[in-house]
Amino acid sequence: ARRQGGGCFVFFETPMGEQAIEHFEIEKTLSQAIRNHELCLHLQPQVTSEGQLKAAEALVRWEHPQKGLLSPGLFIPVAEESNLVVEIGCWVVTEALRLIQVARKRGLDFEMSINISARHFHQKNFVDWLKDQVYAAEINPKYLTLEITESLIIDNIDEVVEKMRELRRFGLKFSIDDFGTGYSSLSYLKHLPIHEIKIDKSFVQDVSTDPDSAALVETILAVAEKMQLQVVAEGVETQEQLEFLASKAKILYQGYYFSKPQPGEAWINNL
Ligand code: C2E
Ligand code: CA
Ligand code: CA
Ligand code: CA
């Protein structure tokens, strides 16, 4: 117990809960993980209703020497609290560009999406740095889509508009991830060079059982059609979900129904 001004005592039960220790461990070893080449990219296909491959989303994994394959949900939130997420983001861009090269060398024509964290996007030199990476990789920028979230856009909108426009002029594409979960006004859709929206899996998974989710998804599809935006439905797990969506619009599908994320390079080499 510690004495505070005013004579009150404040009791600290455990100075560090289990979660805090885990958090500290991750932060301590994650930076090394990048240098030790313990990160890898898995790819999850985005296909037409007939199953034709159009694109793939790159999803980072940590091949932890003791703990095995760790999902990003475990370490990205920790990384986001510091510049570690920028380090990881830089690695992801480089590795995704390399995988695009591998695919192009095999004569494959699918596109790739990567997740860009807000902190990375807001870095002062992000635009020039990214253009340099794409130049250096000697690939057509049209093969790369940046998935960003509504909260990234809303935070400092003027800066975001400028950066997005410059990258779009360069040839990169933008996708709004987790669309519909942001509680934000949709007016930004008019002002930003967005190519695609991804309907969040929370809506997709209820679409064939819950009328409210169905209505919401139909509205999103109508907006997207009016604005000529490509749509990806994420988290498609069942034939019912696929059939409902396919009866409404021509979109792309990403989900376990078609494929789980697969180790990237091996997956490309088996296509
Ligand atoms: P996200 O961007 O929304 O990615 C989709 C997540 O849904 C992935 O989880 C994917 O494996 C999962 N998923 C795909 N299809 C299905 C399905 O049919 N059913 C279910 N239940 N899940 C499905 P994952 O790979 O664990 O990634 C979790 C989150 O971590 C991502 O969500 C993204 O926000 C973040 N993340 C992943 N890779 C990166 C990265 O390279 N950079 C950053 N900044 N964040 C990343
Ligand atoms: Ca994503
Ligand atoms: Ca998503
Ligand atoms: Ca998500």
Side-chain angles (χ1 to χ4, degrees), residues 3-268:
R3 180 174 274 276
Q4 279 196 327
C8 298
F9 287 93
V10 181
F11 292 90
F12 296 92
E13 266 203 312
T14 30
M16 242 193 199
E18 223 171 278
Q19 258 201 314
I21 291 171
E22 179 82 345
H23 188 292
F24 179 70
E25 278 287 321
I26 290 170
E27 198 178 309
K28 208 176 55 178
T29 48
L30 191 50
S31 177
Q32 271 173 307
I34 304 170
R35 286 191 289 276
N36 293 347
H37 309 285
E38 289 167 18
L39 297 185
C40 63
L41 288 184
H42 283 204
L43 292 174
Q44 187 177 34
Q46 299 174 341
V47 302
T48 65
S49 58
E50 285 87 42
Q52 193 196 353
L53 178 67
K54 290 288 183 186
E57 179 179 5
L59 295 155
V60 71
R61 303 283 182 266
W62 180 1
E63 290 177 320
H64 195 284
Q66 281 90 42
K67 296 178 187 170
L69 198 65
L70 300 183
S71 74
L74 257 161
F75 60 89
I76 290 289
V78 176
E80 270 171 348
E81 286 169 30
S82 71
N83 270 334
L84 269 177
V85 82
V86 178
E87 278 186 61
I88 293 175
C90 291
W91 180 84
V92 167
V93 166
T94 314
E95 180 65 2
L97 290 170
R98 190 183 73 79
L99 291 180
I100 293 173
Q101 287 174 334
V102 172
R104 295 295 299 140
K105 284 200 185 109
R106 289 181 55 85
L108 302 164
D109 204 39
F110 66 89
E111 300 177 7
M112 204 173 297
S113 293
I114 58 174
N115 295 282
I116 300 291
S117 71
R119 197 192 277 262
H120 195 194
F121 188 88
H122 290 306
Q123 294 285 300
K124 216 170 135 253
N125 64 349
F126 179 73
V127 168
D128 289 333
W129 174 81
L130 185 55
K131 283 158 90 175
D132 284 347
Q133 299 300 305
V134 176
Y135 275 128
E138 298 181 314
I139 62 142
N140 187 327
K142 75 172 186 187
Y143 287 109
L144 190 64
T145 293
L146 309 183
E147 292 191 7
I148 59 176
T149 59
E150 290 170 56
S151 59
L152 178 155
I153 291 170
I154 301 318
D155 173 29
N156 201 349
I157 183 109
D158 292 341
E159 183 209 303
V160 169
V161 171
E162 213 182 288
K163 285 185 166 179
M164 282 180 73
R165 289 195 179 145
E166 188 170 346
L167 288 170
R168 184 69 195 103
R169 275 197 299 276
F170 178 66
L172 295 172
K173 291 187 280 204
F174 284 95
S175 176
I176 305 298
D177 205 356
D178 305 338
F179 188 81
T181 62
Y183 302 103
S184 62
S185 139
L186 298 184
S187 61
Y188 69 82
L189 285 176
K190 273 201 310 208
H191 306 294
L192 296 175
I194 291 157
H195 176 78
E196 173 188 281
I197 57 181
K198 297 187 77 174
I199 305 178
D200 191 65
K201 58 175 174 282
S202 60
F203 303 123
V204 171
Q205 293 186 345
D206 291 344
V207 92
S208 51
T209 51
D210 169 32
D212 289 343
S213 289
L216 223 123
V217 166
E218 286 187 59
T219 307
I220 294 174
L221 292 174
V223 170
E225 195 183 355
K226 272 239 160 58
M227 303 191 75
Q228 295 183 289
L229 296 169
Q230 179 171 291
V231 176
V232 176
E234 66 175 28
V236 179
E237 292 183 355
T238 68
Q239 185 158 3
E240 289 71 39
Q241 292 159 1
L242 171 65
E243 277 169 5
F244 175 91
L245 292 160
S247 73
K248 305 291 175 198
K250 198 160 176 275
I251 63 172
L252 296 180
Y253 303 87
Q254 177 182 350
Y256 296 170
Y257 180 73
F258 291 99
S259 171
K260 289 197 170 182
Q262 305 287 331
E265 189 161 10
W267 177 75
I268 292 171

